[in-house]
Every structure is written in C-alpha cells, then in structure tokens.
Amino acid sequence: MGDHRAFFLSTIFNMVKRVNEKVLDPYDVAVMQLRKAVNVLGLGEEAFEALKTHERVIQVKIPVKMDDGKMRVFIGWRAQHNSALGPYKGGVRYHPEASMGEVMALSMWMTWKCSLLQLPFGGGKGAVRVDPRRLSPREIEELSRRYFASLARFVGEDLDIPAPDVYTNPQIMAWYVDEYYRIVGANIFGVVTSKPPALGGLNTRIIATGLGVATVAREAARHILGGLEGRSVAVQGFGNVGSYAAYYLSTWGARVIAVSDSSGGIYNPRGLRIEEVMKVKSEKGSVIHYQDSKKISNDELLTLDVDILVPAALENVITADNAPKIRAKMIVEGANGPTTPEADEILFKRGVFVVPDILANAGGVTASWIEWVNNRMGGWLTEEDARSKLENKMAEAFNSFYSYLNRRSDIDPRTAAQAMAVERVYNAMKLRGWV
Ligand code: NAD
C-alpha cells in the first residue's frame, strides 16, 4: 500500500516537474525570437504574421527496399520559409528525432542567417526521420535518391538549394545531383552545395566555418581590442570549426593559449603550436596528448583570463552559473546556441561583447554561396579565389553588423543581428508587394 502511494506521488511529482520544465520546441523559440525582432523594429502584427509564415512545407513518403527484401517507409520534409531575397538555402539532416516543427524552425533561422550575410538566398531546411547508422550504404543511397526525386519539382538552382547537415555528407549530395540529372535531363551542379570537388564542390568548404569564425574575431578585435596581434584566445571544441578557427587566429598573430575537446583541455600561457595540436589530435584522438601544456577542464577553459573566447563545441555551455565568472572581453560563437538567454543578459550587462552564432558561424553557408556562383560560372574560381572571397564576405558582414550595433546600442548584439536580418527580408517583401 505504502509502495503504491509512493509510486502515485512520484508519478504526480514527475508530471508537474515535466510541465514546469517544459522544454521549448525549436519552432516556438524561433517565433519568440522573431517577435522580439519585430518589436525592436517597430513593425506591426501584419508584418509579424507575414514574416513568420512559411511559404511551403512539403512532406514526402520515402519507400525503401531494405537489404532483407522488405519495404520500409520513411518520412521526410523540406521546409521553405521565405524566398524574398532569393532561392531557399539550407541543409538536409537525417536523424531519428527529426520533425516537421524542427525543420520549420531551422528554415526560419536560415532566412535570417542568409539575410544577415547579404547572400542572395532565402531560408530552407530538410530532414528525413531515420537513423542512418542503422542503414547499409546501399539503403542510404536508395533513401537519398527517393527523397530527392520526391522533391525534384520543388528544388533547383534558382528555387531551392539543399546542402549537408547532421549525418549527411558530400557523397549524399552527389547522389542528389545525379538523381536530379536523371529527372530533368541536365547536369545542374548548382542544385546542391558541399559536393565532392569532382562534381563542382570546393575544398574551401572544409575550412570555411573555422576561417569565418577567425575572420569575424579578427574584425571584432580590430574594433574592440585595438587589433588581434598578441591577443589571448581560448577555444572550446577542437573539431572542424574550432581547430580551423584556432589555426587561422594563431596564423594571424593571436596567442591561442587553451583548446579542448570532449576528453579535456590543454593550456599554455605562452601560446600553443596549433599545427602541432592538430597533428596530435588526428594521430592520438585528443588534444590532451599534446606535451607542452598543462591539463585543464572544459569548465576552467571557459573562465580563463583571455581576450577572446570561442565556444565551438556544444550548445548551452555558457549559462547563468558561469556567465558572471567569464573573464573574456569578447565571445565569438563558433557553435550553434552556446549561450543561454539568461547568460546573454548577464554578459550584456557586464559589457562582454558577444558575436552571435548567426553571424560568427556563417562561413559554411557563405562558402556554399561561392560554390553555387562558381557552378553557374562553369568552374571559374580557384580555391585561393574562394578563400579570399569568403574572408571578404565575412569581414564585410561583421563590419556592417558592427555599424548597425553602434546605432542601436540599446539592444544586445544577438537581438541586433536578428533585427538587422529581419529588416532586410521585410524590405525585400515590401518591394515585391508581399506586405
Ligand atoms: P565536430 O564534431 O567536428 O567537433 C566538435 C568538437 O567538440 C570535437 O572536438 C569534440 O571532441 C568537442 N566536444 C564535444 N563535447 C565537448 C565538451 N563537452 N567540451 C568540449 N569539447 C567538446 O563539430 P563541428 O562541425 O566543429 O561543429 C561544432 C559546432 O559548430 C556545433 O555546434 C555545430 O552545430 C556548429 N556549426 C558547425 C558548422 C560546420 O560547418 N561544421 C557550421 C555552423 C555551425
């Protein structure tokens, strides 16, 4: 009897706890952020509705003949949020928890990101609800071809240009291009980006997000710290984004004194030799095997006394708990969503300058834009051209954001970036007669 009562009480307690701790759906978060930007811009309810509403959300059924001979049906989506500035642009993820709400939110974020970077693109995002780790390569190929075939009427180099995202890659993009060729009867490489170089891709894509983070940090340091030369930097996460960000920052004269990965961090106040750290990470699996340094934890890294902090691993690592202890003068968000809204407020009040993810990690989509332009020019650019165009575009985007921020010192940088992006989309919609 006592056990029954205890079970009953704990069930009620857990239900109440779940309601109180309701994790916000990404779509709700995207809409809340848009509401904030619309308010800052002083636009009305009509504008909010027009900016919020997706132009099209497509759901497709994907039957796949599995290796055991049985048919299995998967569900996929492509959300096309807004095309006022150009064709929709955004990745496709294969994930067992993918949902329509998630792709709708992600496509809205892509609209703002492309707008902020002044790219001629709108926002799109796709997904298939599948765990690709449980499929054979042949099953993944069939699923990919079928997904893209179902979307063939809705994509195109002037209409919607997908790219890889979580658990998708250049090989999958090659299958998409080929499937599109079979359907439309033409080799249109610009229909997707991040392809293998043999099919019109660029190697620059691999370094793009890290190089973009470093470029934005360099520009921000020029305005706020009086330059990058000799400035100290800590980078959390030494993967694709973090390692190239650290590499370029150190090449340009900054002193990268701490980096970390999921096994822990390393610290040397004189500066780490980043190329060596990259070598150690690729040979031994973690940065912690690098010799000339002291071991530190990921938490310690975040609160080091540095000029620039680059979180480039996970979301929600800078929170209300550690934000008061952060000693960096500037945070450049390589990762998506590393700072919680409470931490944002604390940092703003404390005068820590945050370059928001929507701008700082936009090097990937910017490289995609360069690849798309190059495909349409028949492969005109060299890798060197692509790299310098990427750097110029990121620097330009930061500088125009920074002058906007100077005119709106009443709002925090994240809200400013969002407002700036929304305003551009709204103006394009107005010119086209959509609002
Ligand atoms: P990645 O998998 O290449 O690297 C992630 C790194 O973070 C790894 O070194 C891993 O060991 C480390 N890590 C994991 N848990 C950690 C922890 N608790 N503490 C410290 N380090 C930890 O991933 P990536 O492509 O470099 O992406 C990193 C972040 O950047 C993600 O938030 C991603 O969404 C975002 N992002 C990536 C790109 C891109 O082009 N790769 C573009 C935009 C945004």
Side-chain angles (χ1 to χ4, degrees), residues 307-352:
D307 294 304
I308 306 171
L309 173 64
V310 180
L314 306 171
E315 63 278 8
N316 298 335
V317 291
I318 302 174
T319 64
D321 287 340
N322 59 13
K325 293 181 235 152
I326 292 218
R327 286 185 282 170
K329 297 179 186 69
M330 249 168 62
I331 298 177
V332 183
E333 294 185 336
N336 280 318
T339 314
T340 67
E342 296 89 345
D344 247 341
E345 265 179 46
I346 298 169
L347 296 169
F348 186 51
K349 281 193 193 124
R350 292 189 50 226
V352 179

Side-chain angles (χ1 to χ4, degrees), residues 2-299:
D3 278 359
H4 271 36
R5 212 172 59 212
F7 176 72
F8 176 74
L9 286 175
S10 88
T11 307
I12 296 287
F13 174 77
N14 283 332
M15 278 168 62
V16 171
K17 197 166 155 231
R18 270 205 299 275
V19 171
N20 284 340
E21 288 174 358
K22 183 176 179 288
V23 179
L24 281 174
D25 185 70
Y27 180 73
D28 295 337
V29 175
V31 171
M32 273 163 49
Q33 290 172 343
L34 173 62
R35 168 72 73 189
K36 205 168 162 189
V38 165
N39 289 347
V40 162
L41 294 167
L43 302 172
E45 198 57 26
E46 195 190 314
F48 171 69
E49 279 305 319
L51 286 157
K52 184 184 89 169
T53 311
H54 282 69
E55 290 170 9
R56 198 184 281 120
V57 182
I58 306 145
Q59 177 168 311
V60 294
K61 173 181 158 185
I62 313 159
V64 176
K65 187 159 193 163
M66 306 301 281
D67 291 346
D68 62 7
K70 292 190 184 134
M71 289 302 285
R72 231 179 110 185
V73 171
F74 297 90
I75 301 288
W77 300 273
R78 183 76 187 167
Q80 299 178 331
H81 173 246
N82 190 297
S83 61
L85 290 169
Y88 312 102
K89 185 87 195 79
V92 178
R93 60 176 55 178
Y94 290 176
H95 198 276
E97 276 147 39
S99 69
M100 191 192 283
E102 183 187 52
V103 286
M104 286 173 75
L106 293 167
S107 65
M108 200 188 289
W109 284 323
M110 284 306 295
T111 303
W112 315 138
K113 190 177 252 192
C114 294
S115 165
L116 189 62
L117 267 290
Q118 299 198 50
L119 303 178
F121 293 138
K125 201 83 182 190
V128 178
R129 190 186 290 154
V130 59
D131 187 346
R133 291 164 300 187
R134 292 170 181 268
L135 265 57
S136 70
R138 192 207 59 79
E139 290 166 340
I140 293 178
E141 177 173 353
E142 189 172 326
L143 173 106
S144 301
R145 288 183 180 276
R146 289 252 182 168
Y147 171 70
F148 213 65
S150 315
L151 290 176
R153 278 183 298 137
F154 304 102
V155 295
E157 63 175 356
D158 286 316
L159 190 57
D160 186 353
I161 308 137
D165 193 76
V166 178
Y167 295 144
T168 49
N169 54 39
Q171 171 61 72
I172 292 176
M173 298 305 112
W175 289 325
Y176 286 174
V177 164
D178 189 60
E179 197 59 27
Y180 197 66
Y181 168 70
R182 289 204 218 183
I183 293 168
V184 304
N187 263 315
I188 302 176
F189 288 155
V191 68
V192 293
T193 56
S194 287
K195 299 173 293 287
L199 296 179
L202 289 167
N203 284 320
T204 301
R205 176 63 189 90
I206 298 162
I207 57 158
T209 307
L211 174 59
V213 168
T215 306
V216 161
R218 183 191 67 203
E219 292 305 299
R222 196 162 61 77
H223 290 286
I224 292 162
L225 308 173
L228 189 64
E229 190 67 39
R231 299 293 170 191
S232 55
V233 180
V235 180
Q236 186 193 45
F238 203 72
N240 175 266
V241 178
S243 63
Y244 286 111
Y247 171 77
Y248 283 103
L249 284 168
S250 66
T251 308
W252 296 338
R255 201 161 32 94
V256 180
I257 63 169
V259 301
S260 68
D261 57 30
S262 54
S263 307
I266 51 172
Y267 169 72
N268 182 337
R270 293 187 308 281
L272 302 161
R273 279 169 292 130
I274 296 301
E275 264 181 285
E276 270 300 300
V277 182
M278 286 167 120
K279 203 161 152 238
V280 167
K281 168 95 181 165
S282 89
E283 282 170 6
K284 301 193 173 160
S286 171
V287 297
I288 57 168
H289 303 295
Y290 176 81
Q291 291 299 319
D292 185 22
S293 62
K294 190 183 127 201
K295 306 277 170 289
I296 55 166
S297 71
N298 264 293
D299 289 343

